[in-house]
Amino acid sequence: MLFKGAKVLTKDGFKAKDVLVSEGKIVEIKDDIESSDEVFECKGLALLPALLDVNILPKDSILNSKNLLRTSQKALKGGVGSLYLSPNTKPRNDTEAINALVKSVSQSETINIFSLIPAFNENGNLNDISILYSGNPKSAIFLDSDVESNLLYQAFLYAKMLKLPLIVNAFDTHMEVGLAYESPFIRSLGLGEISFLGQLKEIAKIAQMAEFLKVNVLFSALNVSESFKILKESKYLFSQVPLPHLIFDETNLKDYDTRYKLNPPLLPKASKDALLKLLNEAYMLTSLHSTVSVHLKNQVYEDARASFDSIEHYFGLAYTFLVKSGVLSLQDLLAKTSKNIANFMGLNKGEIAVGKDSDFMLVDLESSYKIANPASPLDGLEIFGIIKYMVVGKHISKI
């Protein structure tokens, strides 16, 4: 198919281009292409690489076909063409049967769904990672950092042997039990506090192991700006920053509003501003998408489930709050939401270039819409960048 008259982002800004796609690949990009293929008139819409998102949870963390379908439909609306599921689901995606379910839904939908490989089973023992890897060659091993040292070492050895990256949730859950980061504001609310040390010390521990074994490690949902000092010390360390922590801060928790209860918690304003200043150093972003039933959210703050239902607005949120506000260029945003993730996971995606998979979105960057959902922390926000069509491989979806 020939996509005619699209605006393609180059190093010199947007240029009017024709993009020819065949068998799920981009085969030609020129000012004017003559072809007998079916023509799709882009009418000046921006043609941008589809986003990728890593460590996504389905509704209530329940892994079934219904929830996967619902999540994939939301993802398409937000510009996401490929997503990686968190292994922290019920049931866990650590059996061949569950992996087969994920593959079946992925093949039936117009989106790529992959599973992260859990290093440990629900009893805390090491999984047979090599078997899980055989069904997920374009994946990564996922683990929580606060486990017994020998188990951690064995997971690293698997990653080295299989030449897979590790994705690590770095936090010591045994050190502190709290609901928000320590600050005068949180103390005024009377909420239990945690310190940044729970993340920092775990990152330092993982960093030493990664450097010694020469294994690439991505720190999932890293939100403490001081962590970047540690990451600079090794070429094997990569950061994933959650988008909501760049938009909201702890003051949104006033009146104990459970819509803003996230994991990890929102930051004090000064810490959020420090994270924004270091954003150019971040390797990738995440929507931090997870969603829960209303009855699990509408409880007293201590008992409410942490969640952030955001993936259907992912591109618009990132474009509005990071590009329109001048924090990042559009080129940098697309690198952190698409190109860098594809490179890290070993996928042939993330760029509008000849030879790459034809995973892209057609976007009206000038138009906006308002989110109307009182149950969401995003309610009332004006979002720029309306996605009109998603192209994933051979499939075109009108949004």
Side-chain angles (χ1 to χ4, degrees), residues 21 58 107 128 175 199-200 213 233 287 291 324 349 366:
V21 169
Q107 290 168 358
D128 193 336
M175 190 176 102
Q199 184 177 108
L200 291 170
L213 292 172
E233 297 174 1
S287 69
T291 181
K324 296 281 285 184
K349 305 178 186 295
E366 307 304 320

Side-chain angles (χ1 to χ4, degrees), residues 113-155:
I113 306 175
F114 303 97
S115 296
L116 295 177
I117 301 170
F120 314 115
N121 62 29
E122 59 185 357
N123 297 319
N125 299 317
L126 192 70
N127 269 321
D128 193 336
I129 295 174
S130 58
I131 291 179
L132 297 176
Y133 164 75
S134 66
N136 294 283
K138 297 296 183 182
S139 190
I141 300 171
F142 181 92
L143 58 85
D144 293 312
S145 65
D146 60 342
V147 296
E148 196 269 326
S149 297
N150 183 58
L151 282 175
L152 197 60
Y153 182 57
Q154 293 300 319

Side-chain angles (χ1 to χ4, degrees), residues 28-48:
E28 194 173 5
I29 304 173
K30 285 185 178 179
D31 293 346
D32 188 27
I33 297 175
E34 296 294 333
S35 173
S36 59
D37 287 30
E38 182 181 355
V39 174
F40 186 101
E41 295 289 349
C42 297
K43 300 179 181 178
L45 292 173
L47 192 152
L48 305 174

Side-chain angles (χ1 to χ4, degrees), residues 48-54 78-82 240-241 243 246 279 282-287 314-319 322-323 328-343 349-351 361:
L48 305 174
L51 310 187
L52 296 88
D53 207 356
V54 177
V80 176
S82 300
Q240 181 200 56
V241 172
L243 180 61
L246 304 171
L279 192 55
Y283 189 69
M284 67 176 75
L285 297 176
T286 176
S287 69
Y314 187 22
F315 173 75
L317 282 169
Y319 179 69
L322 299 180
V323 177
L328 293 175
S329 68
L330 181 55
Q331 199 84 269
D332 287 339
L333 174 65
L334 294 172
K336 296 177 191 302
T337 54
S338 192
K339 179 181 177 181
N340 292 353
I341 304 173
N343 289 344
K349 305 178 186 295
E351 295 179 83
M361 51 184 165

